[in-house]
């Protein structure tokens, strides 16, 4: 478009390119900072495949990108937390056919474990059942132990049994595995059109997101809002935020369950945290 040589483009030209992306002066509307970052990553990868080098730290690129971030970066949009009373209302909307048993286990296990949607669908019955496994579950007398390959490496997630069978994530999992006759391979799989048989195909993580949105609407959560706004408020992360916001225990236990490296990251998930529980002003004597 500018009449410049595309390969290899100069650092100055790439700086002008990302400035155009941010301003929207080209044929496309202005792009977000995260999208521009992805464009730069794509360029760097493409250059490497062709034997060229793209130095993102070059001042002509880094300075422009820093200016874009200062001007255009918006605070991250946090999804609404699904609290304990919400999850109970959501699972109450599900039928008791095979598909309903599966979806009930997904919601309860995802909430109690503070799991990401990708982690939920990646689980197998045993270790090394499949090549694409992200972990496995061992069901014990007092609960379930999940060995999970997360973003920060392998970790264990303990899920105790609930106060009643109707709300117990471990019991819900046991019922799904029993009636679906699953004893090997992926735990959460598709079902036949009539909902009477389980397939061998692992669910996609998008199923979890769709399930959450559908049951939120069916349960009437945040019913004062238009349906479009309600759907935008909730996602797979709502389960993790819900556990962090609902569990009345020491923060370090929540941090361990979510697999966070720092307490600060865990606090980002706590939607109704008492920010002034520790009052350093009074502690200092004022």
């Amino acid at each position: 478009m500018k009449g410049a040589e595309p390969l290899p483009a100069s650092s100055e030209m790439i700086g002008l390119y990302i400035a155009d992306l941010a301003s929207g002066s080209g044929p496309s509307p202005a792009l977000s900072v995260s999208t521009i970052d992805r464009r730069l990553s794509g360029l760097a990868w493409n250059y490497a495949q062709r034997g060229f080098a793209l130095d993102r730290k070059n001042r002509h690129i880094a300075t422009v990108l820093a200016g874009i971030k200062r001007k255009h970066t918006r605070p991250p949009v946090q999804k609404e937390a699904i609290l304990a009373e919400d999850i109970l209302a959501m699972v109450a909307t599900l039928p008791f056919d095979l598909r309903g048993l599966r979806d009930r286990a997904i919601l309860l296990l995802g909430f109690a474990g503070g799991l990401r949607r990708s982690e939920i669908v990646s689980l197998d019955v045993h270790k090394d059942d499949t090549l694409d496994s992200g972990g496995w579950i061992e069901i014990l007398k007092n609960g379930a132990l999940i060995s999970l390959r997360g973003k920060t490496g392998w970790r264990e997630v303990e899920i105790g049994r609930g106060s009643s069978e109707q709300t117990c994530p471990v019991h819900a999992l046991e019922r799904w595995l029993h009636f679906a006759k699953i004893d090997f391979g992926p735990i959460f799989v598709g079902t036949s059109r009539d909902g009477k048989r389980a397939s061998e195909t692992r669910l996609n993580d998008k199923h979890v997101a769709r399930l959450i949105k559908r049951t939120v609407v069916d349960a009437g959560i945040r019913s004062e809002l238009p349906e479009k706004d309600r759907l935008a408020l909730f996602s797979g992360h709502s389960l993790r935020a819900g556990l962090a916001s609902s569990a009345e225990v020491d923060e370090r236990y929540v941090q361990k369950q979510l697999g966070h490296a720092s307490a600060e990251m865990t606090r980002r998930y706590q939607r109704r945290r008492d920010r002034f529980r520790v009052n350093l002003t009074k502690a200092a004597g004022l």
Side-chain angles (χ1 to χ4, degrees):
M1 289 173 60
K2 301 292 184 183
E5 286 295 324
L7 285 171
S10 67
S11 300
E12 293 90 337
M13 185 56 63
I14 292 177
L16 291 172
Y17 166 65
I18 62 176
D20 266 2
L21 295 180
S23 67
S25 58
S28 303
L31 300 182
S32 68
V33 173
S34 59
T35 302
I36 293 173
D37 258 331
R38 284 197 297 272
R39 291 280 180 95
L40 272 177
S41 297
L43 281 174
W45 180 87
N46 197 288
Y47 271 37
Q49 306 311 302
R50 298 168 185 266
F52 299 116
L54 173 60
D55 181 12
R56 291 186 54 164
K57 295 181 180 179
N58 180 284
R59 64 184 180 87
H60 296 291
I61 299 174
T63 303
V64 174
L65 187 60
I68 291 171
K69 289 182 176 180
R70 281 196 301 270
K71 184 174 181 180
H72 298 284
T73 298
R74 296 184 295 270
V77 178
Q78 288 190 325
K79 294 298 182 179
E80 190 93 353
I82 291 173
L83 304 177
E85 57 267 27
D86 299 327
I87 204 76
L88 295 181
M90 290 162 65
V91 298
T93 68
L94 297 171
F96 285 90
D97 60 3
L98 204 56
R99 190 175 295 126
L101 292 177
R102 178 199 66 195
D103 289 346
R104 186 174 283 101
I106 286 175
L107 290 176
L108 290 172
L109 200 72
F111 178 85
L115 304 177
R116 299 177 179 90
R117 65 186 193 182
S118 59
E119 294 171 340
I120 296 171
V121 299
S122 72
L123 293 171
D124 280 0
V125 178
H126 309 106
K127 182 182 180 182
D128 299 328
D129 275 358
T130 63
L131 293 176
D132 61 342
S133 170
W136 66 94
I137 296 183
E138 183 181 1
I139 298 179
L140 306 171
K141 179 181 178 181
N142 294 323
L145 180 64
I146 301 179
S147 298
L148 195 66
R149 182 172 57 214
K151 286 185 175 181
T152 56
W154 285 96
R155 76 181 200 273
E156 288 186 343
V157 175
E158 301 168 356
I159 299 180
R161 293 188 180 272
S163 54
S164 72
E165 289 188 346
Q166 287 74 24
T167 61
C168 175
V170 182
H171 180 72
L173 176 63
E174 289 173 323
R175 282 169 60 83
W176 158 246
L177 293 175
H178 172 74
F179 287 106
K181 299 176 181 173
I182 295 175
D183 56 12
F184 182 86
I187 287 179
F188 294 114
V189 296
T191 60
S192 59
R193 193 175 293 273
D194 61 8
K196 294 182 179 179
R197 289 179 295 104
S199 73
E200 296 180 356
T201 306
R202 188 187 303 277
L203 284 179
N204 187 288
D205 66 341
K206 291 180 181 177
H207 172 81
V208 181
R210 290 193 294 265
L211 171 63
I212 289 170
K213 291 178 182 294
R214 188 183 78 239
T215 51
V216 159
V217 171
D218 291 346
I221 297 170
R222 297 300 302 271
S223 57
E224 75 277 7
L225 298 175
E227 183 171 315
K228 180 181 177 182
D229 294 341
R230 294 162 67 193
L231 291 174
L233 277 178
F234 296 93
S235 73
H237 257 62
S238 297
L239 294 177
R240 286 168 65 78
L243 177 72
S245 302
S246 299
E248 300 292 341
V249 296
D250 192 291
E251 191 175 77
R252 67 179 184 271
Y253 297 115
V254 179
Q255 179 183 340
K256 179 178 181 295
Q257 190 82 338
L258 298 185
H260 288 154
S262 68
E264 183 57 38
M265 178 59 72
T266 301
R267 293 184 191 118
R268 295 182 190 177
Y269 283 76
Q270 295 173 324
R271 302 294 189 260
R272 55 182 189 185
R273 171 170 61 96
D274 181 4
R275 296 180 179 273
F276 301 100
R277 179 172 56 85
V278 177
N279 190 325
L280 292 181
T281 308
K282 290 183 178 178
L286 296 180

